[in-house]
């Protein structure tokens, strides 16, 4: 009976407490992961270094490119639907900012030495400054920021 109770307490990480699930996940941690950095860091590393996340971000970038093309075409055609597509720019920008924060959480100061991160950071910050600060300041409307 003693063996049964110890075996059942180790049965599955999903059925155990948060501490047990965290301990089990630590066994499968990525190389270079440091326990002191905590669970949030671990989650960020696990998500951001996965192929699925890369594919998801690739799809988001592709959809963003398509929406930019549609926005330009609808603006040239003076279509009223341009507002819906320009609103999507806020969503894309928010996703990119979350990715930047996630990369900073996962990789720390190393990010500031990586050329692609700096390039992405620059593009996202320019987009945020343009859409959420500069254009609304000039036009007096936040909705105009996505145009």
């Amino acid at each position: 009976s003693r063996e049964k109770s110890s075996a059942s307490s180790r049965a599955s990480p999903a059925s155990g407490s948060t501490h047990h699930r965290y301990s089990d996940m630590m066994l499968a941690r990525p190389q270079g992961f440091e326990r002191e950095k905590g669970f949030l860091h671990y989650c960020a590393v696990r998500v951001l270094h996965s192929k699925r996340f890369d594919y998801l971000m690739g799809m988001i970038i592709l959809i963003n490119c398509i929406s930019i093309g549609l926005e330009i075409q609808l603006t040239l055609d003076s279509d009223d639907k341009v507002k819906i597509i320009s609103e999507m720019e806020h969503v894309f920008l928010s996703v990119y900012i979350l990715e930047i924060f996630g990369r900073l959480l996962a990789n720390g100061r190393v990010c500031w030495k990586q050329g692609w991160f700096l390039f992405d950071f620059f593009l996202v910050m320019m987009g945020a400054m343009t859409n959420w600060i500069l254009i609304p300041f000039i036009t007096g409307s936040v909705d105009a920021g996505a145009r």
Side-chain angles (χ1 to χ4, degrees):
S1 72
R2 189 176 213 187
E3 284 181 50
K4 272 187 179 180
S5 66
S6 67
S8 65
S9 67
R10 291 178 283 154
S12 83
S15 64
S17 69
T18 304
H19 174 71
H20 284 64
R21 286 192 301 257
Y22 179 64
S23 298
D24 290 343
M25 286 191 294
M26 292 298 291
L27 297 174
R29 66 186 179 266
Q31 190 172 16
F33 175 75
E34 299 171 23
R35 183 181 284 270
E36 307 87 50
K37 290 189 178 181
F39 185 71
L40 226 98
H41 172 261
Y42 169 74
C43 290
V45 168
R46 182 100 181 208
V47 168
L48 290 165
H49 292 179
S50 72
K51 287 281 186 199
R52 285 184 179 172
F53 182 77
D54 287 341
Y55 294 142
L56 176 66
M57 289 308 295
M59 289 300 297
I60 289 172
I61 291 169
L62 179 64
I63 293 168
N64 190 7
C65 290
I66 292 169
S67 74
I68 290 170
L70 284 173
E71 181 181 9
I72 291 170
Q73 186 61 46
L74 292 174
T75 302
L76 292 173
D77 295 343
S78 302
D79 197 328
D80 293 336
K81 295 175 187 165
V82 72
K83 183 163 174 71
I84 296 168
I85 293 179
S86 64
E87 292 291 325
M88 290 173 48
E89 185 63 25
H90 295 296
V91 175
F92 291 123
L93 209 46
S94 299
V95 169
Y96 298 145
I97 288 173
L98 286 174
E99 181 193 14
I100 293 286
F101 282 129
R103 293 217 180 269
L104 285 169
L105 181 62
N107 301 329
R109 293 182 196 164
V110 173
C111 289
W112 301 109
K113 297 177 182 174
Q114 297 171 339
W116 281 113
F117 174 82
L118 293 173
F119 179 68
D120 287 344
F121 181 79
F122 175 76
L123 289 178
V124 171
M125 289 305 112
M126 290 303 295
M129 295 271 297
T130 301
N131 286 317
W132 294 339
I133 298 171
L134 185 63
I135 292 176
F137 180 75
I138 292 170
T139 63
S141 169
V142 175
D143 289 335
R147 289 187 191 172

